[in-house]
Amino acid sequence: MAPALSTNTSATTASATAAVGEDRAPATGVRIDHVHKSYDGRSVLDDITLDVRPGEFVCLLGASGCGKSTLLNLVAGLDRPSAGTIEVPGGRPALMFQEHALFPWLTAGRNIELALRLRGVPRAERRAEAERLLRLVRLGGSYGKRVHELSGGMRQRVALARALAQDSRVLLMDEPFAALDAITRDVLHHELTRIWSETSLSVLFVTHNVREAVRLGQRVVLLSSRPGRVVREWTVDIPQPRRIEDAAVADLSVEITEELRGEIRRHGRD
Ligand SMILES: Nc1ncnc2c1ncn2[C@@H]1O[C@H](COP(=O)(O)OP(=O)(O)O)[C@@H](O)[C@H]1O
Ligand SMILES: [Mg+2]
């Protein structure tokens, strides 16, 4: 993992410095700077400052309704902050949601090829690339399967392959495994960690599940509710691959859960 990360760091720094011409080094995978967001005069996000470094895996944790999806959508460029700035020096991020959003009339392979086409990959190369991505998510041989023939976990694997097909430097994930059973989720945690360590992706992963955040993240950032503010962050020094049942994962999860409970007590839930 180390060489991939350092390659990514230097490449991104160089390109961002050249493209943006900034004096504020180093460039980051994502830079969220004093961001506010209000809807109808109600503040949803308040003064969020958060960087995701190139190649870093950051988990954004908070109770439901605290503004996690709002923040992710801002980073994705689907909406604009009311104040503050968001920079993604490596270009447009890829997105993955809880709902797979695959086209049911296309096969798994064709869903991925559509993303490749949108990216401008020549037709002759698309099939081989789609098959490579399916192998990467361990679905080699499923190219011709239709969405209804795939289990929930397999659909999320295809959705992940489609996100990877965008060849973005940054992957934004909004509770992508929340609807899966615990065992399938555990397998996908493993696959995601493996793929992240094999690529130089920066990942911003949103979840309300503390264990999942500690299982996956190099850093866990806790958001408060009403409005969402960064309350605290933890660096997770537990080596990967971790397991959700590891004692170290459990211990840190207990500490973070205490803090999250305090937040929920202070602000209530939706
Ligand atoms: N487009 C919108 N218009 C008005 N309110 C919104 C909109 N999007 C989100 N909100 C509100 O912002 C708050 C945060 O929502 P969201 O970001 O979806 O939370 P989370 O993803 O943490 O569960 C909620 O109270 C929600 O109702
Ligand atoms: Mg959400």
Side-chain angles (χ1 to χ4, degrees), residues 65 68-70 174-175 206:
K68 302 180 297 295
S69 296
T70 301
D174 194 353
E175 315 222 26
V206 158

Side-chain angles (χ1 to χ4, degrees), residues 93-269:
L95 269 171
M96 186 177 163
F97 302 101
Q98 182 174 329
E99 286 299 318
H100 56 75
L102 299 170
F103 293 116
W105 59 89
L106 297 178
T107 62
R110 291 283 186 193
N111 267 284
I112 297 167
E113 284 183 18
L114 186 60
L116 294 170
R117 194 176 96 196
L118 293 173
R119 199 184 104 203
V121 174
R123 178 192 283 267
E125 295 168 24
R126 284 181 217 146
R127 168 95 193 213
E129 179 62 3
E131 284 178 340
R132 185 188 72 79
L133 287 163
L134 283 169
R135 282 195 302 276
L136 186 66
V137 298
R138 300 208 198 276
L139 276 185
S142 296
Y143 179 94
K145 290 248 166 69
R146 289 197 183 267
V147 174
H148 72 267
E149 296 178 89
L150 304 170
S151 67
M154 290 163 91
R155 289 174 196 182
Q156 287 307 74
R157 284 173 193 258
V158 178
L160 177 57
R162 187 184 52 180
L164 295 170
Q166 294 176 46
D167 202 27
S168 301
R169 311 293 295 272
V170 173
L171 177 59
L172 306 175
M173 307 183 87
D174 194 353
E175 315 222 26
F177 309 139
L180 302 177
D181 64 84
I183 304 217
T184 306
R185 192 183 314 138
D186 193 47
V187 172
L188 281 165
H189 285 160
H190 182 77
E191 300 294 5
L192 176 61
T193 312
R194 176 182 60 79
I195 289 166
W196 167 71
S197 67
E198 287 172 4
T199 59
S200 49
L201 275 171
S202 311
V203 182
L204 184 54
F205 186 104
V206 158
T207 181
H208 64 264
N209 181 325
V210 179
R211 284 264 191 156
E212 177 170 65
V214 175
R215 161 69 183 84
L216 292 172
Q218 292 178 300
R219 257 191 310 144
V220 176
V221 176
L222 179 63
L223 279 193
S224 65
S225 301
R226 298 182 188 163
R229 292 196 182 104
V230 175
V231 185
R232 215 180 132 181
E233 67 168 62
W234 290 262
T235 300
V236 187
D237 283 328
I238 308 161
Q240 291 281 13
R242 301 168 196 154
R243 301 219 54 108
I244 205 128
E245 65 273 14
D246 285 345
V249 170
D251 289 348
L252 183 54
S253 299
V254 168
E255 181 187 330
I256 296 177
T257 302
E258 279 301 305
E259 193 98 18
L260 183 57
R261 282 214 185 98
E263 272 310 308
I264 291 169
R265 270 198 300 275
R266 270 191 286 283
H267 301 282
R269 298 191 67 137

Side-chain angles (χ1 to χ4, degrees), residues 39-40 42 44 63-71 174-175 206 270:
Y39 290 112
D40 309 320
R42 189 172 78 91
V44 172
S64 73
C66 79
K68 302 180 297 295
S69 296
T70 301
L71 185 59
D174 194 353
E175 315 222 26
V206 158
D270 279 356

